[in-house]
Amino acid sequence: MDSSSLMQYILTGLAQGGLYALIGLGFVLIYNVTGIINFVQGEFVMLGAMLAVTYERMGLPLPLVIVFAVVSVALIGAGLEVISIRPARRATPLTLIIITIGLSMAVRGIALLIWGTDPLVIPAFSGGGPIKILGGALMPQQFWILGATAVSVLGLYIFLDLTVMGKAFRACVINKMGASLMGISPRRMSTLAFALGAAVGALGGVVFAPTLASYDMGMALGVKGFVAAVLGGLTSVPGVILSGFIVGIGESFGTAFISSGYKDAISLFILLLVLLVRPQGLFGIYGGKRV
Amino acid sequence: MKKRMLMLMSVVLVFVLVFVAGCGSASTTAPTSNEKKPFVIGAVFDITGPASSLGIPEKNSAQMLVDQINKAGGINGHKVDLKILDDKSTPAEAALDIKQLIEQDHVLAVIGASTSGASMSMVPIAMDKQIPMVSAAASAAIVRPASDHKWIFKTAQPDDLVAKVVVTYLKAHNITSVAFMPVNNDFGNSGLKEFQAQAGAAGINIVTVQKFEASDTDMTAQLTKVKDAKPQAVIVWSTPPSAAYVAKSYKQLGLTMPQIQSHGIGNKSFIDVAGDAANGVIFPAGKLLAVDTLSASDPQKSVLSKYASDYQAAFPGQALSTFGGHAYDATNMVLDALKASGDNPTASSIRDQLEKISNYPGITGVFNMSPSEHNGLDTSSMVWIKIANGKWTLDQN
Amino acid sequence: MRPTWAGRCSSLLKLEDVEVYHGQSLVLKAISLHVQAGEIIALVGANGSGKSTLMGALTGLNPVRRGKVVFLGQDITNKQPHRIVASGMSLVPERREIFNALTVEDNLILGAYHRYYRDKKNIRQELQNVLDMFPALRGKEKRLAGALSGGEQQMLAMGRGLMSNPRLLLLDEPSIGLAPLIIQEIFKILLNLKELGTTIMLVEQNAQLALTYSDRAYVLERGELVLDGASSALLKDPRIEAAYLGKKAL
Ligand SMILES: Nc1ncnc2c1ncn2[C@@H]1O[C@H](COP(=O)(O)OP(=O)(O)OP(=O)(O)O)[C@@H](O)[C@H]1O
Ligand SMILES: [Mg+2]
């Protein structure tokens, strides 16, 4: 194996990992505020991709396609929270997780009705051939994926660290009771968390749409995002981003040197290993929550 | 506030109900009110899941044919009742589906499934219940050896036949070292086995085998290994969408050696997903994809033209695919066997008729069945197709 | 003067037969009390008598099964906590519940969250007023709240409670775990607040302290109010002396 091949595995892993990180970020946002592992997350990605296809076919220009798809899915996320999670908020976390699994199946079913089973794609955001980096090659679209990850992290940083609403959101994460005593409504923050989680998931779906938009794509991507989130400790933004890349690169090397068949097994294996050695995840901290 | 929530909930409920109802009604046809008892036949296709790009044209083609027959008065005055089930692209569901068709619907014959894996899981059940089954899938193992597969037939070119076509092509182009990239399922693995069996004798060296999963969307890791192995050509044995992602990653890595794909990409979905990365790909396929450029003297010309125009009239906007053709042939054979069986067809009379098929021009090729051969196609059923400007063109070289 | 107006004006908070459960167990039984504007009310009782539960019931944290809570003439029974804060009642909870991972300044500003987007300008000024009131916090605005000392955290919790501009400030054991000097300081601030017109309801186990600084007091025993009256009188009440002030019964 020469160095350009090595570089290719790393680049492939990074591009894929960027997507996993983005999906994992949604898990982290929602988990922190609501304590729910939201298995609809993968479907938010699917909806983002599907709506991107729909808006693109309506002839909208690309920037509007992106914005509309992300905003639509954010609203859907908020709506789902209001109709299904909020009424059941006194239920146990396990029940809530089961609710989200049920929801994900319903969303998938509705998507099947609307968009059918054919895999769809939209044109790549920017044309041109592969871009060479140290002997490896990436398609321009993969830079869009990495860019979307960067934009999401930056956007979240601005929101969470620099705005008072974002700080109220974090207050809810740190101490729900304290927050409600300060006039912050945990219910509204839970809805906001779903909207934000849905939005970052949808953004992942939109930038992935030139590769694939299919009603059944959500589950597999959701699982990868979940692995990244848990690996990152479920509470930390830098943790989930780094973990996303670790999963992506692990997969890419696993495919090259073990077998593509074990690719999913590899990420789950990494997860189990980490959970055994560091149950709080690679970057999690016991007790103190942070976003 | 409460009211709004209730309304939203009911909207969702309605959606879910419509979905469930839709699923139910899609799989059955209304019973006819004819005085003669309808003939019930069953079909299992991969209507949803990763192989749905195969299953949907198959379902459409089978249904179209049965509708045509019923409109024309049925078979000897009997309407045909076609029960179609969706195996969701999984072998386990396919096995359950064929059980249901045989035990609950008492079908006389079963068509399907779409993929080799699903078909293989149906074979033992059809054998056990002694119900004729005509698969639309590729793997030769579905019907070979015929002595052990008395009740099983298939219409798609078997992969050993396709492998032979590919090996012939490679020899003609003096290609002696290839990389082989099968999708990691029954279709790809069986393609690999058949190709390996023939390549050695033809002096073709397989320098690397790189598998990928049907659900994968990025094959750059495998193709980087391929690149390092420096083959003269790459052979890909898969179906869309994964086959299309190989083409995309191929373009990403800037690989220039010939990319030979299999007959598994004979539907529009490959070109849709691969986009301009599809250009330059060549693959062996049934003649359907080149129906317009076929000479009038070809024995399949008239049946191909009729299928192409019927299908496009019945399903406007949906592209032709060779898979639809496999199911069309399978359905046609079963209907013809029913016709030849008189007023009281039985599973075994249909089986016997199927085995007698000879010189039978279908969409996939000219079939010659016999007790020792339950597919009955030869290499003349295939042509080489090249994708250029996002279109299939006959490749004369 | 119209009597209804006077009644409403003087009775800031009124509880009528309030009953609260934790799960199946009845924790507060038929609690009726009232708080007049401008006074410091003490609520004393032993561990587990239900003081914190009552604070939770007032602020919407614990559901009220029966009875009524009327604040500023409005029925606020079982309203959501964030609405109750907005209506002018703020609780500094027993465990302080500050936001450890946020800065002191952010903690204080979040105290005014319910009106932040309507009242941005004034809030900066009020932040300064609160810092004036708690000089110990000054200069530490950018520190993480979790890194403060216990006494500073209590002051932060109080300051944060004040940032909501409450008509009625509820304090649940502000003295707990603090050194006597700091307790002194905190109670001086309470008197100061009273001067400025804030009504205060004070929960304390330390009855001596509570009764010294308050105008009136209620005594809670196993979920029931057993005594009430002027604090100065209760200080000398033999039953109180026996049970809460560590003196032998006569
Ligand atoms: N969340 C809860 N679930 C069940 N029971 C509870 C809960 N919180 C309090 N209790 C019970 O309710 C009773 C009153 O508790 P509360 O905390 O109100 O007492 P307190 O007067 O504040 O005591 P302390 O002086 O120790 O703070 C106790 O018996 C306690 O065990
Ligand atoms: Mg208490």
Side-chain angles (χ1 to χ4, degrees), chain A residues 49 119-121 205 208-214 216-217, chain B residues 215 217 241 245 248 273:
Chain A
L120 307 170
V121 286
F208 195 61
T211 303
L212 174 67
S214 157
D216 59 355
M217 69 194 281
Chain B
S215 55
T217 56
Y245 296 122
K248 279 193 148 183
V273 174

Side-chain angles (χ1 to χ4, degrees), chain C residues 185-201:
Chain C
E185 200 176 323
I186 284 177
F187 274 79
K188 266 189 212 134
I189 294 170
L190 290 188
L191 291 179
N192 210 349
L193 277 172
K194 183 190 167 189
E195 294 296 302
L196 293 170
T198 308
T199 310
I200 293 167
M201 186 162 180

Side-chain angles (χ1 to χ4, degrees), chain A residues 5-238:
Chain A
S5 299
L6 191 70
M7 194 63 202
Q8 187 60 50
Y9 300 137
I10 293 173
L11 288 178
T12 298
L14 284 177
Q16 204 66 27
L19 186 65
Y20 299 161
L22 207 49
I23 301 166
L25 201 53
F27 276 101
V28 169
L29 279 171
I30 291 172
Y31 175 78
N32 269 300
V33 176
T34 63
I36 298 172
I37 306 276
N38 170 36
F39 282 104
V40 195
Q41 194 58 32
E43 308 311 321
F44 292 153
V45 181
M46 179 272 290
L47 287 175
M50 285 303 194
L51 285 171
V53 171
T54 301
Y55 292 137
E56 197 269 339
R57 300 214 165 148
M58 283 163 59
L60 295 181
L62 182 64
L64 284 188
V65 169
I66 299 174
V67 171
F68 280 18
V70 169
V71 171
S72 310
V73 179
L75 291 176
I76 292 172
L80 285 180
E81 196 273 348
V82 171
I83 62 167
S84 63
I85 304 295
R86 188 178 286 191
R89 68 187 175 286
R90 288 194 214 288
T92 61
L94 185 64
T95 310
L96 289 168
I97 288 169
I98 291 169
I99 290 177
T100 71
I101 292 175
L103 270 182
S104 76
M105 294 198 281
V107 170
R108 200 153 49 238
I110 292 168
L112 173 66
L113 270 187
I114 299 176
W115 287 288
T117 56
D118 272 350
L120 307 170
V121 286
I122 61 175
F125 290 5
S126 43
I131 294 162
K132 293 259 172 196
I133 302 163
L134 300 175
L138 277 186
M139 295 307 279
Q141 191 61 34
Q142 292 172 307
F143 285 96
W144 280 93
I145 293 181
L146 292 171
T149 309
V151 165
S152 300
V153 172
L154 189 71
L156 276 179
Y157 167 75
I158 291 173
F159 173 69
L160 292 175
D161 277 47
L162 304 181
T163 72
V164 169
M165 194 194 278
K167 283 170 186 167
F169 188 85
R170 287 170 66 202
C172 228
V173 174
I174 298 164
N175 189 328
K176 202 177 258 184
M177 177 180 159
S180 51
L181 285 174
M182 290 309 110
I184 300 163
S185 159
R187 289 190 207 176
R188 268 185 230 160
M189 288 300 161
S190 161
T191 310
L192 180 63
F194 267 79
L196 285 177
V200 291
L203 184 61
V206 175
V207 290
F208 195 61
T211 303
L212 174 67
S214 157
Y215 82 100
D216 59 355
M217 69 194 281
M219 173 102 81
L221 289 173
V223 167
K224 296 294 162 53
F226 169 70
V227 170
V230 177
L231 210 52
L234 261 179
T235 52
S236 132
V237 170

Side-chain angles (χ1 to χ4, degrees), chain C residues 97-156:
Chain C
E97 317 285 355
I98 58 170
F99 309 124
N100 287 317
L102 295 181
T103 64
V104 168
E105 184 177 293
D106 289 344
N107 267 274
L108 290 172
I109 287 178
L110 286 177
Y113 183 72
H114 71 91
R115 64 196 166 95
Y116 181 83
Y117 287 98
R118 275 174 287 128
D119 213 6
K120 248 184 207 171
K121 274 193 214 111
N122 294 331
I123 283 171
R124 286 281 144 198
Q125 183 53 50
E126 285 164 31
L127 181 67
Q128 292 310 315
N129 297 347
V130 166
L131 287 173
D132 287 342
M133 206 175 291
F134 300 97
L137 297 179
R138 218 175 245 304
K140 300 187 174 115
E141 293 94 325
K142 300 289 175 199
R143 282 221 202 144
L144 291 187
L148 296 180
S149 75
E152 287 163 346
Q153 289 191 2
Q154 181 61 44
M155 294 189 195
L156 177 61

